[in-house]
Amino acid sequence: MTASTTAPSTLVTTDKVITSFDPPRTMAGAAIGVRDGLIDWVGPKDAAPADRYEQIVRLPGTALPGLVDAHVHLSFDPDVADPISDALDSVRARVTQTIESNGRRFLERGVTTVRDLGSMRGVVLEAGRGLGRGTWLGPRIVAADQPITRPQGHAWRIGIQSDSATSARAAVRDLFDRGAGAVKIMVTGGRMTVGTDPLSVEFPSHLIAAVVDAAHEVGLNVAAHCLSVAGIRAALSAQVDSIEHGTFISPNGLGCDEETVERLAQEIAQSGTYLCPTINADYPGRHPIPFEQRLHWVSILHRVGVKVIVGNDTGIPGLPPDLYPGALRALESAGMSSAQVLHSATALACQALGLGRNSGTLAPGLAADLIVVEGDPLADLRALSAPALVMVGGRTVAGSRT
Ligand SMILES: [Zn+2]
């Protein structure tokens, strides 16, 4: 396996290049030059300095930025019923195998960046470090490593348990020192942890705010697991960077009223907080809130201007990386245009992950994370289902034509 830094310089020519989605910028008969892991040229095919590249890849179809899944658990095996027990009971090698398998499967779906929002200590960080060394065949990883949770709180068996602002700050510092690229906090209980309540708010607001402060001090964004209305309110007032799930569960169960959702959605929009709804058209049945209801909440979020990003919760039981396209179709069903969905799956998600300016678009100077698909995804998102070429950091890592 070659390191990304030694991948041959490549000129990719296609029928069409979509460089970004907000608004969609397309170029017919275009080419992208890739060198040393970065894009170094984008423009019309005929004007491309072809002799400057070691290889030329000519493909029909459309080139676009690689896709993002903003909420995954690479170390969970989606084929087991209790992935946290499975992860803890397994030897490290077994977990590493799961991470590698999930990583490869993401590449096949054109996903070039993932944000891992909770794993046992160190395993995903270690995989992510392999990208630069050429030992990791998977997407670029922004990893939260261990989630911060209250004692015995959601995912406590893999998390860092905290019950004070002081220990929470220390946890953030420790995660940062070990290489975490994001901080995950469990603001409410979760369905996968026995004895926790999705309705509850697990931390006093000053502790959530302490996590946010400590994370921002070292340049990390905070993703808050929030299932309930109360949890979303608590996370918003502590100014977290993204709300994960955001399913608006209320004490009346499914009966959260439209007005509450609408009002809260407007607050989220005004605050600029990202929302990752972890909704998937191919995984409709296993949630306590009916799929149509969740879709309706997402349509409200989108309508009032919330920055909705694509994330699947990949790794939870029954949700392998292969289902990634279902997340895009769910957002489309919630009323987003294909360009808006793709913006949410590229540049907007990259912003939420705290990646650099313009990240998730195709432009000189940016990481060469891109895909080529047959057909035009702006006309039909199904064009994304089997990419012909997938490149991460300038290295071709998957695709039917490679
Ligand atoms: Zn999750």
Side-chain angles (χ1 to χ4, degrees), residues 71 73 184 245 313:
H71 189 139
H73 301 277
K184 169 86 173 288
H245 314 299
D313 218 356

PDB file of all heavy atoms in Angstrom, residues 71 73 184 245 313, ligand 1:
ATOM      1  N   HIS A  71     -21.957  11.285  11.463  1.00  0.00           N
ATOM      2  CA  HIS A  71     -22.262  10.601  12.727  1.00  0.00           C
ATOM      3  C   HIS A  71     -22.128   9.109  12.500  1.00  0.00           C
ATOM      4  O   HIS A  71     -23.056   8.461  12.002  1.00  0.00           O
ATOM      5  CB  HIS A  71     -23.670  10.962  13.216  1.00  0.00           C
ATOM      6  CG  HIS A  71     -23.957  10.464  14.605  1.00  0.00           C
ATOM      7  ND1 HIS A  71     -24.624  11.223  15.534  1.00  0.00           N
ATOM      8  CD2 HIS A  71     -23.683   9.296  15.210  1.00  0.00           C
ATOM      9  CE1 HIS A  71     -24.741  10.530  16.666  1.00  0.00           C
ATOM     10  NE2 HIS A  71     -24.171   9.349  16.483  1.00  0.00           N
ATOM     11  N   HIS A  73     -20.100   5.211  14.010  1.00  0.00           N
ATOM     12  CA  HIS A  73     -19.356   4.481  15.038  1.00  0.00           C
ATOM     13  C   HIS A  73     -18.602   3.373  14.325  1.00  0.00           C
ATOM     14  O   HIS A  73     -19.107   2.261  14.181  1.00  0.00           O
ATOM     15  CB  HIS A  73     -20.300   3.923  16.097  1.00  0.00           C
ATOM     16  CG  HIS A  73     -21.089   4.990  16.784  1.00  0.00           C
ATOM     17  ND1 HIS A  73     -20.587   5.715  17.829  1.00  0.00           N
ATOM     18  CD2 HIS A  73     -22.319   5.508  16.520  1.00  0.00           C
ATOM     19  CE1 HIS A  73     -21.480   6.616  18.218  1.00  0.00           C
ATOM     20  NE2 HIS A  73     -22.543   6.512  17.437  1.00  0.00           N
ATOM     21  N   LYS A 184     -17.716  14.576  22.023  1.00  0.00           N
ATOM     22  CA  LYS A 184     -19.116  14.121  22.067  1.00  0.00           C
ATOM     23  C   LYS A 184     -19.578  14.123  23.513  1.00  0.00           C
ATOM     24  O   LYS A 184     -18.894  13.586  24.391  1.00  0.00           O
ATOM     25  CB  LYS A 184     -19.185  12.698  21.496  1.00  0.00           C
ATOM     26  CG  LYS A 184     -20.521  11.967  21.693  1.00  0.00           C
ATOM     27  CD  LYS A 184     -21.500  12.294  20.592  1.00  0.00           C
ATOM     28  CE  LYS A 184     -22.777  11.468  20.637  1.00  0.00           C
ATOM     29  NZ  LYS A 184     -22.596  10.075  20.251  1.00  0.00           N
ATOM     30  N   HIS A 245     -29.095  13.572  16.521  1.00  0.00           N
ATOM     31  CA  HIS A 245     -30.421  12.922  16.547  1.00  0.00           C
ATOM     32  C   HIS A 245     -31.525  13.982  16.562  1.00  0.00           C
ATOM     33  O   HIS A 245     -32.275  14.100  15.618  1.00  0.00           O
ATOM     34  CB  HIS A 245     -30.584  11.941  17.718  1.00  0.00           C
ATOM     35  CG  HIS A 245     -29.422  11.023  17.898  1.00  0.00           C
ATOM     36  ND1 HIS A 245     -29.020  10.136  16.918  1.00  0.00           N
ATOM     37  CD2 HIS A 245     -28.531  10.871  18.917  1.00  0.00           C
ATOM     38  CE1 HIS A 245     -27.955   9.468  17.335  1.00  0.00           C
ATOM     39  NE2 HIS A 245     -27.630   9.894  18.541  1.00  0.00           N
ATOM     40  N   ASP A 313     -25.484   7.561  12.036  1.00  0.00           N
ATOM     41  CA  ASP A 313     -25.328   6.698  13.209  1.00  0.00           C
ATOM     42  C   ASP A 313     -24.888   5.301  12.760  1.00  0.00           C
ATOM     43  O   ASP A 313     -25.246   4.292  13.389  1.00  0.00           O
ATOM     44  CB  ASP A 313     -26.600   6.627  14.052  1.00  0.00           C
ATOM     45  CG  ASP A 313     -26.305   6.597  15.554  1.00  0.00           C
ATOM     46  OD1 ASP A 313     -25.113   6.558  15.918  1.00  0.00           O
ATOM     47  OD2 ASP A 313     -27.260   6.616  16.346  1.00  0.00           O
TER      48      ASP A 313
HETATM   49 ZN    ZN B   1     -24.320   7.638  17.698  1.00  0.00          ZN
END
